[in-house]
Amino acid sequence: MKPLYINGRVGESVTIKCSDWDAWTNVKENVKYFCDSPCSEDHHIIVKAAYGDTTYKNRLKLQNEGKSLFVTFMDLQKSDSKTYFCGTKRFGYDSLIKVILNVTEAHSPSPKTTPKTVTVGSTLSFAVTHSSTMSSNISDIITEMSSNTTLNTTTATASATPGSDRSVPYLIKGVITIITVLMVLLKLMSKTMKQKLRKTHKSTHTLQICVNKPSTRL
């Protein structure tokens, strides 16, 4: 008998049909089984089924349908790759059909979609993905600070996924407002410190004049 060569992939199911028994007598109603190689002793039998029965063991399903024996491997694993035998009980020696199962790796998953980047102005960027999510990163917002402390910002609009276009302008306005307030506070603090330094310097200078002025004798 020519062996049956069966191929499968990890995680899939495969069904093997054994029917061409090398037997002179009719084996339709005989007990049939599935066993490990060399299938020479009873302890090699993995699972067996009587005529018309369907039996299960672990990930194996055995169907004895008359002349044919159907063996189904469920959730194939690499360790399932080896040589087996389909067998049928009969008077004298049992009739065997050799089965060579080869299990290969599962199909590689489809590549993940790379997020697209949309640049807004020169200071903000938004990453838009197919899952309708948006994230923003603030970078290099303050472009110049001089004596007048001028803040230049560039605002623009970018097309985003439905439901997220309303939140973007509020986010930009909020960031600009916070930065403007911080800059005003810094300017006020700087001005206050300068005034204090001037007063301190003036007081020190007056004190030095009083100390150095010669005393008048009566």
Side-chain angles (χ1 to χ4, degrees):
M1 292 293 297
K2 292 182 178 181
L4 300 177
Y5 291 93
I6 308 298
N7 295 315
R9 292 185 179 275
V10 173
E12 297 179 347
S13 296
V14 65
T15 299
I16 305 164
K17 180 183 178 182
C18 300
S19 57
D20 296 328
W21 308 100
D22 184 16
W24 292 96
T25 58
N26 187 2
V27 295
K28 178 180 179 180
E29 299 183 1
N30 293 28
V31 173
K32 298 178 180 64
Y33 53 88
F34 192 67
C35 61
D36 284 320
S37 179
C39 198
S40 57
E41 300 180 14
D42 287 343
H43 67 84
H44 294 150
I45 296 176
I46 303 172
V47 60
K48 58 184 177 180
Y51 170 62
D53 286 349
T54 298
T55 56
Y56 297 84
K57 185 172 182 180
N58 298 330
R59 293 178 290 107
L60 274 177
K61 175 184 177 183
L62 205 66
Q63 296 172 277
N64 186 353
E65 298 184 2
K67 185 180 179 181
S68 299
L69 176 67
F70 295 91
V71 182
T72 301
F73 276 88
M74 294 171 283
D75 188 20
L76 283 170
Q77 304 298 321
K78 289 282 291 182
S79 58
D80 296 329
S81 296
K82 52 185 175 179
T83 301
Y84 302 91
F85 282 92
C86 292
T88 180
K89 293 287 186 179
R90 64 174 187 155
F91 181 76
Y93 291 104
D94 293 349
S95 181
L96 301 175
I97 298 175
K98 190 175 185 178
V99 178
I100 300 174
L101 177 61
N102 180 41
V103 181
T104 57
E105 293 292 343
H107 290 290
S108 58
S110 56
K112 296 182 179 180
T113 304
T114 303
K116 299 178 180 179
T117 301
V118 179
T119 302
V120 182
S122 60
T123 58
L124 301 180
S125 63
F126 300 87
V128 182
T129 64
H130 291 285
S131 60
S132 300
T133 60
M134 177 175 288
S135 62
S136 62
N137 293 321
I138 303 172
S139 62
D140 298 332
I141 296 180
I142 301 175
T143 58
E144 183 180 4
M145 188 193 318
S146 61
S147 59
N148 295 325
T149 316
T150 303
L151 176 65
N152 297 322
T153 58
T154 303
T155 58
T157 58
S159 59
T161 54
S164 62
D165 54 345
R166 296 180 180 178
S167 61
V168 174
Y170 292 111
L171 176 60
I172 297 174
K173 291 179 180 178
V175 171
I176 294 173
T177 301
I178 292 172
I179 294 174
T180 303
V181 172
L182 290 174
M183 296 305 302
V184 172
L185 291 175
L186 287 174
K187 185 176 181 181
L188 290 175
M189 290 175 65
S190 177
K191 186 176 181 180
T192 303
M193 290 298 294
K194 287 180 179 180
Q195 290 177 353
K196 289 183 177 181
L197 288 174
R198 288 174 183 173
K199 290 180 180 180
T200 304
H201 179 72
K202 186 176 180 181
S203 299
T204 304
H205 181 68
T206 302
L207 181 60
Q208 287 177 353
I209 292 174
C210 293
V211 172
N212 294 331
K213 185 178 179 181
S215 61
T216 304
R217 296 182 178 179
L218 295 176

